Amino acid sequence: MVSRSYSNLLDLTSGEALGFGRERRRFSRVATVSGPLSELDDDNSNSVGSDAPSSLSQERMIIVGNQLPIRSHKRDNGEWYFSWDEDSLLYQLKDGIAQDVEVIYVGSLKEEIDMSEQDDIAQTLLDTFKCVPAFIPPDLFSKFYHGFCKQQLWPLFHYMLPLSPELGGRFDRSLWQAYLSVNKIFADKVMEVISPDDDFVWVHDYHLMVLPTFLRKRFNSVKLGFFLHSPFPSSEIYRTLPVRDDLLRALLNSDLIGFHTFDYARHFLSCCSRMLGLSYQSKRGYIGLEYYGRTVSIKILPVGIHIGQLQSVLDLPETASRVAELRDQFRGQTVMLGVDDMDIFKGISLKLLAMEQLLLQHPEMRGKVVLVQIANPARGRGKDVQEVRSETFAAVKRINESFGRQGYKPIVLIDSPLQFYERIAFYVIAECCLVTAVRDGMNLIPYEYIICRQGNEKLNETLGLDQSGPRKSMLVLSEFIGCSPSLSGAIRVNPWNIDAVAEAMDYALMVSEAEKQLRHEKHYKYVSTHDVAYWARSFYQDLERACRDHVRRRCWGIGFGLGFRVIALDPSFKKLSVDHIVSAYKRTKSRAILLDYDGAMGSTASNSISVIPTAETVGLINSLCRDPKNVVFLVSGKERVILSKWFSSCDRLGLAAEHGYFLRPNQEGDWETCVSVTDFDWKQTAEPVMRLYMETTDGSTIEIKESSIVWNYQCADPDFGFCQAKELLDHLESVLANEPVSVKSGQHIVEVKPQGVNKGLVAERLLETMRQRGMLPDFVLCIGDDRSDEDMFGVIMSARDGPALSPVAEVFPCTVGQKPSKAKYYLEDTNEILRMLQGLANASEQAARNSLPTSLANASATKE
């Protein structure tokens, strides 16, 4: 079976651009476009906003998951029957979204649909359930789900490295291509129904991690959230994935990324820092990553359960009947309950070993304590599932043979499918619930257990409980599952420590009734108020907040393949056009040019560590200096001796060393200081402190200058270096509190320098000097690349309305890279800066060549 909606995916790793359909499909239509992706390329895919006009006024949420919340089966007459899957989280979260918000679902069906039926079924699901099915060919789905998702992503996210073929699958690029292909199919389906200026899109889980890139590529301003329902591993584990950067950048094309716990979010942020060089900030309770002018928000909130659904099952007569049966079956015995999938991460065998240890250490419990283990079918398949199953059955058999007797089995293993009400009945009778998974994203079993132990009038009567009395429950939870931090009254254990788990089980059984009641009350209060509706509502509100600035920002799409990202900037911030600045340069007569050397004009080779200016750079600066209409100043953090050596051939170049502390108007002039400092005794205090941090931070260095001392941790571990920088900053501020210095942190540096020294002083001195000479600048170019250059931009922008500039002056403050800045313009990198300066130098040389004939002509005219 091949779906008509399936199109071959371009090899994204080859650097080819991704393209999508040219026109937006109407919501009422289900499109099935065939043909290669290249035929669907959008020539304007990098446009500022969407190319589709908004046609719907009602707010909509498009929820995208691997599977639709739909149950389906084929009747005897060959007709398909569809109904809502009320157990699906995607269906349940609708309760948290306002009723006036229309919800559309995009996902696949569990059953294979013949190609001849796909269009009709798609239309039926759309009309009846507002669901858009993505039909995926079986062989492609197998590679996508059972291949890349379950053999590579899922084990890795649960901390299993593929050290051998038996321990998780080795990376297979064909499976990766299948993963991309399926994500592309999902993107096409979203694009069939989306109104990009109005709709919100919420993508779920690791199956669709690259979907944000496909959607952002087509609609730069799409309002997009992503929630990861699995763990996110530490950077040491995640960095082993060959496509690690691709997945990180794809997730960062979302506006909001959600995680169940802070640990998962912290690991993601650490990966972004170590692999992409990104830093995050926490402001007013919100965590945000700055990514090319966009703030990607991070949401930390564990998902809840649908309490209404549980309570409706608790009210069923079948539930009460089953509870009565279990009460009689386990009369006189204390039931402990485990409910887990039969997979390698749920720790079932560890739980059984702990039960065995409990019975060995406490013989008096034999015949009185029963562990009921419900083993749900594994979601994946493979050799590891069979091994877990065999190990579990062997352990149960051994323990029951050792400690069982007539009418008593210490372990009751249920591996056949149970109706939901049957599972609920086990929750109701269990005195303690055990979850000993070695790694799990969330695990909602404890939440369900708490609600069921609260009971209702009918169940209380069945169990002979006081209707008005307090309820009780006990939880023994692995510290490696997502729900553990939320349930602070649980007994937390390391599931690998069999003795500790056995002790926890003993304590859970022997603790006082009052203690059980207090723990239950605490848990019930949390679980009942943090249900799935609360979780969905909170995520939706944060997604609205994260997308609030979309209207006022301009967006550009840059990059190819999975390296695609969107630049979001304020409308007043734009790229500096070479033609525009050269035109202004030619018609002006008094020009001030300020150039930052460090970072803005350094080496153009991406892998070079050399900072020495090239002959081309020195030649360009000399060309600009030779023009009598120009006053050129080069600003650097380097020492004056180094700058004098590097630019010895530039006679008319003004130099500002050590960020403006030293100034020299030209080669014939003397070095001056912008700030009068007579006492540098503070260096004797600062230097030993910095050396201490250099010795304890591998990869860091110290640079001692005439006016300042700099501690640099660019080559150190980014996380450790950042922590050390904060400590060093506090340390220096403390010991230098009474000294006339400022302690500043910058990009990978901590610097101590005299108070008042900044690059803004250079700009002020340059403009003042030109004004005193009677040269009122009518052209100002200021180029810089980092935070220290913002002082120059501030002075230049403020001078526009003052006496230091001509009333008609054209001002060009320009930063390197697209980022928030006081500058009005930007250029992408050093190469673009040099090309722009070359354009100015060519204009000066052309003017010099034209000046001689013009002078002769004027002289001749005067003589006549």
Side-chain angles (χ1 to χ4, degrees):
M1 180 192 72
V2 179
S3 168
R4 295 181 192 174
S5 62
Y6 171 70
S7 16
N8 293 328
L9 181 71
L10 286 178
D11 184 359
L12 296 178
T13 58
S14 68
E16 294 296 324
L18 305 178
F20 299 97
R22 293 185 181 276
E23 61 182 20
R24 182 176 65 86
R25 289 109 170 165
R26 300 292 180 185
F27 172 54
S28 59
R29 175 189 171 195
V30 177
T32 51
V33 179
S34 61
L37 180 61
S38 58
E39 295 176 4
L40 303 175
D41 279 349
D42 182 2
D43 295 335
N44 299 315
S45 60
N46 289 351
S47 59
V48 170
S50 73
D51 62 354
S54 174
S55 60
L56 301 175
S57 59
Q58 183 182 10
E59 196 167 281
R60 296 195 310 178
M61 167 71 82
I62 300 175
I63 298 174
V64 191
N66 178 41
Q67 290 186 340
L68 290 171
I70 293 291
R71 288 194 176 104
S72 57
H73 72 269
K74 203 167 190 177
R75 291 171 170 165
D76 294 338
N77 60 5
E79 294 182 356
W80 284 97
Y81 173 77
F82 301 98
S83 62
W84 286 114
D85 181 2
E86 296 184 356
D87 295 334
S88 169
L89 174 66
L90 300 188
Y91 176 76
Q92 294 173 356
L93 66 79
K94 279 208 306 186
D95 287 3
I97 299 175
Q99 292 184 353
D100 58 344
V101 177
E102 186 179 17
V103 177
I104 312 296
Y105 290 104
V106 177
S108 64
L109 290 169
K110 296 179 182 178
E111 287 73 17
E112 181 180 346
I113 306 296
D114 188 82
M115 190 177 70
S116 62
E117 301 178 286
Q118 288 179 9
D119 283 349
D120 291 339
I121 287 176
Q123 195 65 52
T124 298
L125 291 175
L126 184 60
D127 295 340
T128 308
F129 300 96
K130 295 182 180 176
C131 290
V132 179
F135 299 113
I136 305 171
D139 57 338
L140 179 63
F141 181 82
S142 180
K143 289 182 178 180
F144 156 72
Y145 184 77
H146 297 293
F148 192 77
C149 290
K150 285 300 181 182
Q151 291 182 22
Q152 296 181 358
L153 280 185
W154 189 73
L156 187 77
F157 279 23
H158 288 76
Y159 287 74
M160 176 181 282
L161 288 175
L163 300 177
S164 69
E166 290 77 22
L167 298 174
R170 298 283 175 86
F171 182 78
D172 185 335
R173 190 156 294 276
S174 67
L175 300 182
W176 167 241
Q177 290 296 330
Y179 183 80
L180 297 178
S181 298
V182 171
N183 275 252
K184 172 61 176 62
I185 292 174
F186 274 80
D188 288 339
K189 289 301 175 182
V190 173
M191 283 182 256
E192 291 177 4
V193 297
I194 192 172
S195 177
D197 294 331
D198 302 313
D199 297 346
F200 290 88
V201 181
W202 187 358
V203 181
H204 289 265
D205 221 2
Y206 63 94
H207 315 90
L208 302 172
M209 290 178 70
V210 298
L211 180 57
T213 288
F214 288 120
L215 296 178
R216 187 71 65 186
K217 169 73 176 179
R218 183 61 180 84
F219 304 116
N220 292 169
S221 298
V222 65
K223 293 175 276 192
L224 178 59
F226 181 93
F227 198 95
L228 183 67
H229 293 275
S230 76
F232 196 94
S234 65
S235 60
E236 287 76 14
I237 299 293
Y238 180 79
R239 71 198 310 169
T240 63
L241 187 64
V243 291
R244 60 190 190 183
D245 289 358
D246 295 330
L247 291 180
L248 287 180
R249 293 189 185 280
L251 289 180
L252 290 172
N253 276 319
S254 306
D255 295 296
L256 176 65
I257 306 173
F259 300 92
H260 286 308
T261 72
F262 173 70
D263 277 347
Y264 304 161
R266 176 169 57 86
H267 294 158
F268 173 76
L269 294 170
S270 176
C271 288
C272 290
S273 171
R274 291 173 177 274
M275 295 163 211
L276 303 181
L278 303 177
S279 60
Y280 69 92
Q281 293 182 336
S282 182
K283 186 176 182 182
R284 296 181 179 177
Y286 296 103
I287 300 175
L289 273 166
E290 288 299 321
Y291 187 61
Y292 291 94
R294 295 171 50 244
T295 299
V296 181
S297 299
I298 305 298
K299 174 77 171 176
I300 303 168
L301 184 66
V303 69
I305 60 174
H306 196 288
I307 296 175
Q309 182 198 27
L310 268 181
Q311 289 175 337
S312 66
V313 178
L314 285 169
D315 293 336
L316 293 175
E318 297 97 314
T319 304
S321 298
R322 185 58 175 149
V323 168
E325 292 173 5
L326 295 176
R327 175 201 60 195
D328 296 337
Q329 179 182 346
F330 297 106
R331 191 177 298 277
Q333 298 175 338
T334 300
V335 176
M336 294 188 292
L337 178 67
V339 182
D340 304 278
D341 293 346
M342 187 72 81
D343 70 49
I344 56 177
F345 297 113
K346 293 303 187 286
I348 296 178
S349 61
L350 298 176
K351 188 187 307 179
L352 299 178
L353 292 175
M355 180 65 178
E356 183 179 31
Q357 186 77 354
L358 177 69
L359 296 176
L360 281 171
Q361 295 177 349
H362 300 277
E364 71 277 5
M365 291 188 178
R366 299 172 189 176
K368 298 179 181 179
V369 177
V370 176
L371 172 61
V372 177
Q373 177 63 54
I374 299 175
N376 301 317
R379 300 179 189 180
R381 63 189 184 190
K383 182 180 177 182
D384 57 336
V385 174
Q386 297 303 318
E387 290 177 350
V388 169
R389 184 179 179 84
S390 299
E391 183 183 7
T392 300
F393 276 87
V396 170
K397 181 180 179 181
R398 185 187 71 251
I399 296 171
N400 283 341
E401 288 177 351
S402 299
F403 302 102
R405 57 174 182 258
Q406 184 67 32
Y408 169 69
K409 288 184 178 180
I411 298 178
V412 177
L413 178 63
I414 303 173
D415 66 332
S416 56
L418 290 180
Q419 296 289 331
F420 190 36
Y421 79 87
E422 294 182 279
R423 194 173 87 198
I424 295 298
F426 278 102
Y427 286 145
V428 172
I429 67 157
E431 287 293 314
C432 176
C433 182
L434 306 171
V435 181
T436 57
V438 297
R439 189 72 61 179
D440 208 350
M442 184 59 197
N443 200 313
L444 296 175
I445 298 300
Y447 285 23
E448 295 178 349
Y449 170 71
I450 293 297
I451 297 300
C452 292
R453 288 290 289 178
Q454 187 69 12
N456 59 29
E457 185 176 338
K458 177 64 174 175
L459 295 176
N460 293 340
E461 182 181 336
T462 303
L463 295 172
L465 300 176
D466 182 3
Q467 296 290 354
S468 59
R471 303 292 171 254
K472 59 182 181 178
S473 64
M474 287 299 293
L475 287 170
V476 176
L477 299 183
S478 165
E479 59 191 50
F480 303 119
I481 62 176
C483 67
S484 178
S486 306
L487 300 171
S488 56
I491 304 172
R492 297 193 182 102
V493 295
N494 174 3
W496 298 101
N497 188 336
I498 305 301
D499 290 335
V501 177
E503 290 176 9
M505 294 165 69
D506 178 46
Y507 180 79
L509 296 174
M510 305 308 295
V511 71
S512 68
E513 297 296 300
E515 180 75 10
K516 293 178 182 178
Q517 292 164 4
L518 285 174
R519 289 174 185 256
H520 174 80
E521 182 181 354
K522 183 176 187 179
H523 290 157
Y524 181 75
K525 183 178 180 180
Y526 175 83
V527 174
S528 60
T529 55
H530 292 72
D531 61 355
V532 66
Y534 173 86
W535 170 77
R537 182 165 53 250
S538 179
F539 188 90
Y540 185 45
Q541 289 171 351
D542 277 10
L543 182 57
E544 287 183 312
R545 178 188 55 80
C547 300
R548 197 172 296 155
D549 291 340
H550 279 203
V551 175
R552 73 177 186 85
R553 288 189 177 273
R554 294 190 305 160
C555 297
W556 286 269
I558 62 172
F560 297 100
L562 291 177
F564 176 84
R565 63 267 189 204
V566 163
I567 308 297
L569 303 169
D570 288 330
S572 58
F573 191 56
K574 52 190 175 183
K575 187 167 186 175
L576 182 58
S577 165
V578 175
D579 292 341
H580 175 51
I581 192 172
V582 169
S583 175
Y585 184 85
K586 289 179 178 178
R587 62 176 177 264
T588 50
K589 299 180 180 179
S590 181
R591 311 183 190 108
I593 300 175
L594 274 165
L595 305 175
D596 169 62
Y597 178 76
D598 308 311
M601 298 183 64
S603 174
T604 59
S606 59
N607 295 323
S608 174
I609 61 173
S610 174
V611 294
I612 300 175
T614 63
E616 177 192 11
T617 300
V618 174
L620 277 176
I621 293 174
N622 248 332
S623 296
L624 294 174
C625 291
R626 283 194 291 266
D627 192 323
K629 298 178 181 179
N630 296 344
V631 176
V632 183
F633 253 88
L634 188 138
V635 189
S636 173
K638 300 296 181 185
E639 296 178 83
R640 53 180 173 171
V641 175
I642 294 175
L643 293 180
S644 297
K645 178 181 178 181
W646 284 354
F647 298 99
S648 58
S649 61
C650 302
D651 296 339
R652 298 186 58 199
L653 175 65
L655 292 175
E658 300 190 21
H659 295 310
Y661 180 76
F662 293 108
L663 279 177
R664 190 181 73 180
N666 51 56
Q667 200 171 80
E668 296 178 355
D670 296 326
W671 286 98
E672 306 172 5
T673 58
C674 283
V675 178
S676 177
V677 178
T678 58
D679 183 9
F680 285 95
D681 290 344
W682 54 266
K683 284 187 176 183
Q684 299 174 12
T685 303
E687 184 180 344
V689 174
M690 286 187 160
R691 288 202 178 278
L692 171 64
Y693 282 81
M694 181 186 72
E695 292 168 0
T696 57
T697 310
D698 189 35
S700 65
T701 58
I702 291 179
E703 185 178 3
I704 302 175
K705 306 177 184 178
E706 290 184 68
S707 68
S708 64
I709 307 179
V710 180
W711 181 75
N712 188 308
Y713 63 96
Q714 185 171 8
C715 296
D717 179 273
D719 288 339
F720 184 55
F722 180 73
C723 292
Q724 290 288 81
K726 290 199 296 185
E727 289 293 325
L728 176 59
L729 187 70
D730 292 341
H731 196 160
L732 289 172
E733 286 178 341
S734 175
V735 298
L736 299 174
N738 298 320
E739 299 289 348
V741 296
S742 63
V743 184
K744 300 287 186 181
S745 62
Q747 188 172 8
H748 301 119
I749 66 164
V750 175
E751 182 177 24
V752 184
K753 60 184 179 181
Q755 288 179 347
V757 175
N758 61 71
K759 293 182 180 179
L761 295 176
V762 182
E764 292 175 353
R765 177 69 68 89
L766 171 60
L767 296 179
E768 178 63 23
T769 300
M770 293 184 70
R771 190 177 68 84
Q772 290 175 355
R773 294 178 182 175
M775 300 172 62
L776 205 59
D778 55 3
F779 175 96
V780 179
L781 170 63
C782 181
I783 296 177
D785 77 305
D786 64 17
R787 189 184 305 173
S788 65
D789 300 308
E790 296 296 313
D791 294 322
M792 288 196 300
F793 298 146
V795 169
I796 295 301
M797 296 298 288
S798 300
R800 290 184 303 175
D801 301 324
L805 297 181
S806 166
V808 294
E810 301 197 53
V811 180
F812 298 93
C814 178
T815 189
V816 182
Q818 304 180 36
K819 57 181 181 282
S821 171
K822 294 179 182 177
K824 286 178 58 180
Y825 302 95
Y826 73 90
L827 289 172
E828 292 289 356
D829 51 32
T830 300
N831 289 321
E832 288 197 355
I833 292 172
L834 294 179
R835 280 196 294 270
M836 183 269 294
L837 293 179
Q838 185 65 62
L840 302 185
N842 291 341
S844 289
E845 292 171 0
Q846 182 65 39
R849 285 194 296 267
N850 294 339
S851 62
L852 182 59
T854 302
S855 300
L856 292 175
N858 289 339
S860 177
T862 302
K863 184 177 180 179
E864 291 178 358

